Amino acid sequence: MSSPGVQLYIQDHYVVMDNGIIQVTISSPDGIVTGIQYNGIDNLLEVEDEEVHRGYWDLVWSKTGSTGTTGTFDVFKGTSFKVVVETEDQVEVSFTRTWDISLEGDVVPLNLDKRFIMLRNSPGFYSYAVFEHLEEWPPFNLPQVRIVFKLRKDKFHYMAVADNRQRFMPLPEDRLLDRGQPLATPEAVLLVNPVEPEFKGEVDDKYQYSSENKDLKVHGWISLKPPVGFWQITPSSEFRSGGPIKQNLTSHVGPYCLAMFLSAHYAGEDLVLKVNPEEPWKKVFGPVFLYLNSVSSEDNAFSLWEDAKNQMLRETQNWPYSFPASEDFPKPDQRGKVCGRLEVQDRFVSYEPIPANGAYLGLAPPGDVGSWQRECKGYQFWTRADEDGNFTIDNIRTGEYNIYAWVPGFIGDYKYHVVVNITEGCDISMGDLIYEPLRNGPTLWEIGIPDRTAAEFYIPDPDPKYINKLYVNHPDRYRQYGLWERYADLYPDGDLVFTVGISDYKNDWFFAQVNRKKEDGTYQGTTWQIKFMLRDVDHTGTYTLRLALATAHLAELQVRVNDPKSDPPLFTTGEIGHDNTIARHGIHGLYRLYNIDVAGVELVEGENIIFLTQAMNTDPLQGIMYDYIRLECPPSTSS
């Protein structure tokens, strides 16, 4: 039997798309998803909420000159509705809000076009949006763009973000004051009297479920009665800001299911999109796929996650989609391809070039070395190199790009020196590319692994009062709440001292350099020591200290050598970072690399000490995480 086609019903205040599997109701002309009917459930969305709070696009914007990552929150509604495609195989509808000068100051100066697509035989629907700013319009800042779905709390209780990150979740009522105790940040709540006693004593915080863009392809919720899954599938990260390891929110108590396109989380103002005066700008966010699945037996409900992963693979294989009608979304034959091989040349590791095994390679808008991690206006296209350093990046939108890369195991960033112009159908071979990481001389000693995270360092057990059961005996130990407070427990009388050749960074280097809480409730900065022995010192040469930071938040790192009171210090970063990684249970934010000259006359034969002081000391969530530290001999020293 042939399946029914897609039907579109246009009512006074609603538009309904129905393909016989799923029925989606959208308010018109607002463009808010008010109902999703599937598998005998009248509405998967929270029927107790107002319609505007069920399924919606939103943004945060502010006027040029504003600082920080906040602004005016806008669940933006369309003012005009249009049918773009209506066939038995596909329906695409558009809800637009057009800007003009009479709206200046009241709404963000953007033309906004929200699109929804339903296909025949498809158990779900797609959504994307086109944002456009004209050259003559006022400038503005845009900290956040996302899609939000609020599901029924009486049905969706089990959340899945990854194979090893899924669990039954508390109810939203459990976070209210009569049932939950607020902790150090508004997002963190200790559940003291939850509706279901099994959650008592646990911490709930949406940031414990963040994921990196490269891993954030499918997440969502499962209802057991009846066994139904609701999943948000993102088949490509090309439209997301900040590159492959930028972290974003996923799903959390509500039950909420998010598609994050633009956010400043784990980065701060550096990832606030800022449109300048007289700057035209346009970007397509999405499409993403909202996928529904079901099984007949509750006993098989958890298999819905495996099915959702398989659907995600099908969506990624079909990317870029051929069916979106907007001319701003290029089809597969309108895109280009780049391939090549990356090798690393570090003469103190190998005389021969080393294949860049597992390197991250990407095309992003032209900029400085490493600028991709702060880039949010354009599109980015990333891949991983194979064990021989070979890479292929396809489905690239037309335009001008730089090729960027970083290689796990080596410090710093690579950028190809010539801008690459992608045209429709191009297939560009870059040949062999060589990355020469910063290096002046042979390694005297090193601490950590240059991989842009602090995950290899010592991560303590949480305070038993602040447990998330999911992360007990879990590889992501750092996602537990309050680990910053454990530093003072482990170092009650003095700060960390690491002795090269004796100490082990896995056990003896705390994952974050944080402040110490004093008895009077104030905080003091901390000074860590690295002790090392030198038999011979080149007093006329210059040694190099490489400090790679995995994240920083309202911090200042000062470096001194053999004199803890030297003023000024040998080096200071000045105040750096608004990543907020410590508070948000991350293990990295923005990568920063500092290269510090240490004159040979500063060192002595025998024991030397490098003092690392985090000097900002106004609250417990300030601090830094190190990625990797290395001391190099002067370049003339024989290895």
Tab-separated table of all heavy atoms in Angstrom, residues 514-547:
chain	number	residue	atom	x	y	z
A	514	VAL	N	42.522	27.084	41.818
A	514	VAL	CA	41.393	27.876	42.296
A	514	VAL	C	41.793	28.608	43.575
A	514	VAL	O	42.873	28.398	44.132
A	514	VAL	CB	40.164	26.983	42.562
A	514	VAL	CG1	39.618	26.405	41.258
A	514	VAL	CG2	40.516	25.845	43.525
A	515	ASN	N	40.898	29.457	44.051
A	515	ASN	CA	41.149	30.203	45.281
A	515	ASN	C	40.886	29.344	46.502
A	515	ASN	O	40.138	28.365	46.457
A	515	ASN	CB	40.277	31.456	45.321
A	515	ASN	CG	40.714	32.491	44.299
A	515	ASN	OD1	41.896	32.625	44.014
A	515	ASN	ND2	39.765	33.209	43.734
A	516	ARG	N	41.473	29.776	47.592
A	516	ARG	CA	41.301	29.104	48.882
A	516	ARG	C	40.352	29.935	49.740
A	516	ARG	O	40.516	31.152	49.885
A	516	ARG	CB	42.653	28.969	49.572
A	516	ARG	CG	42.599	28.313	50.950
A	516	ARG	CD	43.955	28.430	51.625
A	516	ARG	NE	44.977	27.748	50.869
A	516	ARG	CZ	45.194	26.436	50.919
A	516	ARG	NH1	44.425	25.677	51.683
A	516	ARG	NH2	46.159	25.882	50.228
A	517	LYS	N	39.340	29.280	50.309
A	517	LYS	CA	38.404	29.966	51.185
A	517	LYS	C	38.987	30.069	52.582
A	517	LYS	O	39.449	29.087	53.166
A	517	LYS	CB	37.067	29.227	51.227
A	517	LYS	CG	35.967	30.000	51.944
A	517	LYS	CD	34.626	29.279	51.829
A	517	LYS	CE	33.512	30.112	52.449
A	517	LYS	NZ	32.183	29.444	52.298
A	518	LYS	N	38.961	31.281	53.126
A	518	LYS	CA	39.496	31.513	54.466
A	518	LYS	C	38.382	31.406	55.505
A	518	LYS	O	37.193	31.371	55.186
A	518	LYS	CB	40.170	32.885	54.527
A	518	LYS	CG	41.351	33.016	53.563
A	518	LYS	CD	42.211	34.226	53.861
A	518	LYS	CE	41.496	35.527	53.589
A	518	LYS	NZ	42.405	36.696	53.763
A	519	GLU	N	38.773	31.388	56.786
A	519	GLU	CA	37.797	31.209	57.856
A	519	GLU	C	36.786	32.343	57.912
A	519	GLU	O	35.653	32.154	58.340
A	519	GLU	CB	38.522	31.071	59.198
A	519	GLU	CG	39.288	29.763	59.344
A	519	GLU	CD	39.916	29.619	60.720
A	519	GLU	OE1	39.744	30.548	61.546
A	519	GLU	OE2	40.575	28.589	60.969
A	520	ASP	N	37.210	33.557	57.482
A	520	ASP	CA	36.290	34.696	57.545
A	520	ASP	C	35.371	34.778	56.330
A	520	ASP	O	34.616	35.736	56.176
A	520	ASP	CB	37.067	36.005	57.702
A	520	ASP	CG	37.981	36.292	56.505
A	520	ASP	OD1	37.970	35.501	55.532
A	520	ASP	OD2	38.701	37.304	56.543
A	521	GLY	N	35.420	33.750	55.468
A	521	GLY	CA	34.528	33.709	54.317
A	521	GLY	C	35.076	34.374	53.076
A	521	GLY	O	34.459	34.296	52.010
A	522	THR	N	36.219	35.040	53.174
A	522	THR	CA	36.844	35.644	51.993
A	522	THR	C	37.757	34.612	51.333
A	522	THR	O	37.942	33.497	51.836
A	522	THR	CB	37.641	36.899	52.368
A	522	THR	OG1	38.709	36.527	53.273
A	522	THR	CG2	36.740	37.938	53.043
A	523	TYR	N	38.348	35.010	50.211
A	523	TYR	CA	39.166	34.081	49.443
A	523	TYR	C	40.565	34.645	49.237
A	523	TYR	O	40.756	35.869	49.188
A	523	TYR	CB	38.514	33.793	48.088
A	523	TYR	CG	37.192	33.081	48.232
A	523	TYR	CD1	36.007	33.788	48.391
A	523	TYR	CD2	37.140	31.691	48.261
A	523	TYR	CE1	34.797	33.134	48.558
A	523	TYR	CE2	35.939	31.021	48.423
A	523	TYR	CZ	34.775	31.759	48.575
A	523	TYR	OH	33.596	31.102	48.749
A	524	GLN	N	41.518	33.756	49.135
A	524	GLN	CA	42.878	34.182	48.823
A	524	GLN	C	43.382	33.425	47.604
A	524	GLN	O	43.017	32.266	47.376
A	524	GLN	CB	43.807	33.954	50.012
A	524	GLN	CG	44.064	32.499	50.347
A	524	GLN	CD	44.961	32.352	51.567
A	524	GLN	OE1	44.812	33.064	52.555
A	524	GLN	NE2	45.901	31.420	51.508
A	525	GLY	N	44.196	34.117	46.807
A	525	GLY	CA	44.795	33.473	45.657
A	525	GLY	C	45.766	32.388	46.086
A	525	GLY	O	46.184	32.315	47.246
A	526	THR	N	46.118	31.538	45.148
A	526	THR	CA	47.006	30.423	45.460
A	526	THR	C	48.268	30.502	44.611
A	526	THR	O	48.261	31.026	43.502
A	526	THR	CB	46.296	29.073	45.206
A	526	THR	OG1	45.767	29.061	43.867
A	526	THR	CG2	45.159	28.874	46.184
A	527	THR	N	49.362	29.988	45.171
A	527	THR	CA	50.642	29.943	44.471
A	527	THR	C	51.142	28.505	44.443
A	527	THR	O	51.402	27.914	45.492
A	527	THR	CB	51.683	30.844	45.154
A	527	THR	OG1	51.243	32.208	45.103
A	527	THR	CG2	53.035	30.737	44.451
A	528	TRP	N	51.215	27.953	43.264
A	528	TRP	CA	51.727	26.598	43.090
A	528	TRP	C	53.221	26.662	42.756
A	528	TRP	O	53.696	27.615	42.130
A	528	TRP	CB	50.979	25.887	41.971
A	528	TRP	CG	49.542	25.572	42.292
A	528	TRP	CD1	48.839	25.957	43.397
A	528	TRP	CD2	48.642	24.806	41.491
A	528	TRP	NE1	47.555	25.475	43.334
A	528	TRP	CE2	47.401	24.765	42.183
A	528	TRP	CE3	48.746	24.154	40.269
A	528	TRP	CZ2	46.281	24.095	41.672
A	528	TRP	CZ3	47.639	23.476	39.759
A	528	TRP	CH2	46.415	23.448	40.460
A	529	GLN	N	53.933	25.618	43.165
A	529	GLN	CA	55.378	25.560	42.928
A	529	GLN	C	55.730	24.355	42.056
A	529	GLN	O	55.188	23.265	42.248
A	529	GLN	CB	56.139	25.438	44.251
A	529	GLN	CG	55.932	26.587	45.211
A	529	GLN	CD	56.697	26.375	46.510
A	529	GLN	OE1	57.839	25.873	46.505
A	529	GLN	NE2	56.074	26.748	47.622
A	530	ILE	N	56.640	24.597	41.117
A	530	ILE	CA	57.251	23.507	40.352
A	530	ILE	C	58.730	23.497	40.711
A	530	ILE	O	59.467	24.457	40.410
A	530	ILE	CB	57.088	23.696	38.834
A	530	ILE	CG1	55.611	23.807	38.456
A	530	ILE	CG2	57.737	22.531	38.084
A	530	ILE	CD1	55.379	24.169	36.995
A	531	LYS	N	59.166	22.434	41.379
A	531	LYS	CA	60.567	22.310	41.770
A	531	LYS	C	61.294	21.385	40.797
A	531	LYS	O	60.762	20.332	40.412
A	531	LYS	CB	60.678	21.741	43.186
A	531	LYS	CG	60.125	22.669	44.269
A	531	LYS	CD	60.362	22.093	45.665
A	531	LYS	CE	59.910	23.067	46.745
A	531	LYS	NZ	60.181	22.555	48.120
A	532	PHE	N	62.496	21.807	40.392
A	532	PHE	CA	63.263	20.975	39.463
A	532	PHE	C	64.754	21.224	39.677
A	532	PHE	O	65.182	22.301	40.097
A	532	PHE	CB	62.871	21.255	38.009
A	532	PHE	CG	63.050	22.682	37.562
A	532	PHE	CD1	64.175	23.073	36.832
A	532	PHE	CD2	62.096	23.655	37.880
A	532	PHE	CE1	64.349	24.386	36.414
A	532	PHE	CE2	62.262	24.972	37.464
A	532	PHE	CZ	63.386	25.335	36.730
A	533	MET	N	65.531	20.201	39.379
A	533	MET	CA	66.977	20.259	39.565
A	533	MET	C	67.667	20.517	38.228
A	533	MET	O	67.259	19.986	37.196
A	533	MET	CB	67.494	18.941	40.142
A	533	MET	CG	66.906	18.557	41.493
A	533	MET	SD	67.422	19.679	42.812
A	533	MET	CE	69.173	19.276	42.898
A	534	LEU	N	68.711	21.333	38.265
A	534	LEU	CA	69.568	21.551	37.104
A	534	LEU	C	71.011	21.282	37.509
A	534	LEU	O	71.501	21.852	38.502
A	534	LEU	CB	69.438	22.979	36.586
A	534	LEU	CG	68.116	23.366	35.909
A	534	LEU	CD1	68.153	24.834	35.488
A	534	LEU	CD2	67.855	22.488	34.704
A	535	ARG	N	71.687	20.423	36.783
A	535	ARG	CA	73.100	20.165	37.065
A	535	ARG	C	73.975	21.251	36.449
A	535	ARG	O	74.953	21.680	37.031
A	535	ARG	CB	73.503	18.794	36.513
A	535	ARG	CG	72.957	17.618	37.328
A	535	ARG	CD	73.346	16.302	36.702
A	535	ARG	NE	72.818	16.165	35.345
A	535	ARG	CZ	73.042	15.141	34.556
A	535	ARG	NH1	73.803	14.130	34.989
A	535	ARG	NH2	72.529	15.079	33.356
A	536	ASP	N	73.592	21.653	35.223
A	536	ASP	CA	74.350	22.692	34.531
A	536	ASP	C	73.376	23.747	34.064
A	536	ASP	O	72.261	23.446	33.633
A	536	ASP	CB	75.082	22.113	33.313
A	536	ASP	CG	76.039	21.005	33.705
A	536	ASP	OD1	76.984	21.299	34.450
A	536	ASP	OD2	75.797	19.860	33.269
A	537	VAL	N	73.780	25.003	34.125
A	537	VAL	CA	72.942	26.113	33.684
A	537	VAL	C	73.700	26.922	32.645
A	537	VAL	O	74.863	27.281	32.855
A	537	VAL	CB	72.526	27.023	34.868
A	537	VAL	CG1	71.719	28.219	34.363
A	537	VAL	CG2	71.734	26.247	35.895
A	538	ASP	N	73.065	27.206	31.548
A	538	ASP	CA	73.622	28.099	30.527
A	538	ASP	C	73.236	29.527	30.925
A	538	ASP	O	72.162	30.022	30.595
A	538	ASP	CB	73.040	27.740	29.163
A	538	ASP	CG	73.598	28.606	28.046
A	538	ASP	OD1	74.298	29.599	28.357
A	538	ASP	OD2	73.309	28.313	26.868
A	539	HIS	N	74.119	30.180	31.664
A	539	HIS	CA	73.772	31.496	32.221
A	539	HIS	C	73.679	32.577	31.152
A	539	HIS	O	73.090	33.644	31.395
A	539	HIS	CB	74.801	31.902	33.286
A	539	HIS	CG	74.736	31.048	34.516
A	539	HIS	ND1	73.682	31.069	35.400
A	539	HIS	CD2	75.613	30.115	34.994
A	539	HIS	CE1	73.912	30.209	36.379
A	539	HIS	NE2	75.075	29.611	36.154
A	540	THR	N	74.229	32.326	29.984
A	540	THR	CA	74.149	33.337	28.916
A	540	THR	C	72.986	33.072	27.965
A	540	THR	O	72.661	33.906	27.124
A	540	THR	CB	75.458	33.364	28.105
A	540	THR	OG1	75.652	32.087	27.475
A	540	THR	CG2	76.643	33.673	29.011
A	541	GLY	N	72.381	31.918	28.096
A	541	GLY	CA	71.300	31.553	27.181
A	541	GLY	C	69.931	31.934	27.725
A	541	GLY	O	69.779	32.439	28.845
A	542	THR	N	68.901	31.693	26.907
A	542	THR	CA	67.517	31.975	27.292
A	542	THR	C	66.719	30.679	27.232
A	542	THR	O	66.622	30.037	26.175
A	542	THR	CB	66.888	33.016	26.347
A	542	THR	OG1	67.630	34.231	26.426
A	542	THR	CG2	65.439	33.290	26.743
A	543	TYR	N	66.174	30.313	28.366
A	543	TYR	CA	65.276	29.165	28.448
A	543	TYR	C	63.858	29.626	28.084
A	543	TYR	O	63.546	30.818	28.126
A	543	TYR	CB	65.296	28.576	29.861
A	543	TYR	CG	66.633	27.963	30.253
A	543	TYR	CD1	67.744	28.765	30.523
A	543	TYR	CD2	66.782	26.585	30.345
A	543	TYR	CE1	68.970	28.212	30.880
A	543	TYR	CE2	68.004	26.013	30.706
A	543	TYR	CZ	69.096	26.840	30.966
A	543	TYR	OH	70.314	26.278	31.307
A	544	THR	N	63.002	28.686	27.719
A	544	THR	CA	61.630	29.029	27.330
A	544	THR	C	60.645	28.205	28.134
A	544	THR	O	60.723	26.972	28.144
A	544	THR	CB	61.395	28.766	25.834
A	544	THR	OG1	62.376	29.473	25.061
A	544	THR	CG2	60.009	29.253	25.426
A	545	LEU	N	59.726	28.901	28.795
A	545	LEU	CA	58.646	28.250	29.526
A	545	LEU	C	57.376	28.355	28.688
A	545	LEU	O	56.932	29.460	28.350
A	545	LEU	CB	58.441	28.914	30.887
A	545	LEU	CG	57.331	28.335	31.768
A	545	LEU	CD1	57.674	26.915	32.204
A	545	LEU	CD2	57.089	29.229	32.990
A	546	ARG	N	56.815	27.223	28.319
A	546	ARG	CA	55.558	27.186	27.565
A	546	ARG	C	54.422	26.854	28.539
A	546	ARG	O	54.446	25.813	29.201
A	546	ARG	CB	55.595	26.115	26.481
A	546	ARG	CG	56.864	26.136	25.616
A	546	ARG	CD	56.711	26.947	24.396
A	546	ARG	NE	57.884	26.867	23.540
A	546	ARG	CZ	58.288	27.835	22.720
A	546	ARG	NH1	57.593	28.956	22.622
A	546	ARG	NH2	59.369	27.675	21.982
A	547	LEU	N	53.455	27.743	28.592
A	547	LEU	CA	52.295	27.555	29.460
A	547	LEU	C	51.058	27.510	28.579
A	547	LEU	O	50.648	28.524	28.024
A	547	LEU	CB	52.163	28.708	30.458
A	547	LEU	CG	53.046	28.701	31.702
A	547	LEU	CD1	52.852	29.996	32.471
A	547	LEU	CD2	52.704	27.523	32.596
